[in-house]
Amino acid sequence: MSDQHTPVQNPLTLVMTAKSDADYVALTQTIEGLQAGPAEHNPVVTALNKLDNVHFARFVFFGDNKIGVITTYDNGFDAYITEFANELGGVFDTLLSHVVDAPPLPVQDNRDEFLRYVRDHDLRCVGPFYSAYPDRTVLDIVGVGAPA
């Protein structure tokens, strides 16, 4: 059993506010365009498949010019966000160009600022975080890292 104080899985609820109504429309169009195509042509899906540490991920339009990126990932926050910058820097550059208080771009050249931005805009969950399989990583679940 895992220690309740050191979960394998962690939630992220990144909420960003568009600079204007026009920026919100641009964000909506960009994300819907990414999500509308086949998975093999979606850079977000490609990156998430490559990372092997994301259980779930989704974009949410909250209205009031707010958009969310909600994920559940394995292990530490800093490593996860750094991997996101490595794999999806260009996508985040596009999204962040439309939001209030964005970090300097490109994110790949401003990793510390990107990390701080995500940390500051993450709506942390009210604990404890529930998981039906708290001791299992993505790789455990898909059978790559499962115990013998």
Side-chain angles (χ1 to χ4, degrees), residues 1-3 5 19 23 32 43 46 49 51 88-91 100 102 119 125 135 137 144 148:
M1 282 284 202
S2 70
D3 182 337
H5 302 290
K19 293 188 259 187
D23 285 294
E32 287 177 346
T46 300
N49 284 336
L51 292 177
L88 288 168
V91 170
V100 174
R119 187 182 321 277
C125 77
D135 299 325
T137 66
V144 175

Side-chain angles (χ1 to χ4, degrees), residues 53-123:
N53 64 352
V54 179
H55 293 263
F56 308 101
R58 64 189 178 276
F59 291 103
V60 177
F61 299 108
F62 294 115
D64 197 27
N65 287 348
K66 294 190 185 319
I67 181 169
V69 177
I70 302 171
T71 67
T72 300
Y73 62 93
D74 292 331
N75 301 315
F77 177 84
D78 290 9
Y80 174 61
I81 299 305
T82 298
E83 289 175 337
F84 249 71
N86 290 341
E87 296 299 325
L88 288 168
V91 170
F92 272 100
D93 291 343
T94 300
L95 299 178
L96 290 168
S97 70
H98 296 285
V99 303
V100 174
D101 298 328
L105 303 175
V107 298
Q108 289 180 324
D109 294 339
N110 298 282
R111 293 171 195 279
D112 290 341
E113 292 88 346
F114 178 61
L115 183 68
R116 189 170 26 257
Y117 174 83
V118 175
R119 187 182 321 277
D120 290 348
H121 291 83
D122 175 22
L123 298 180

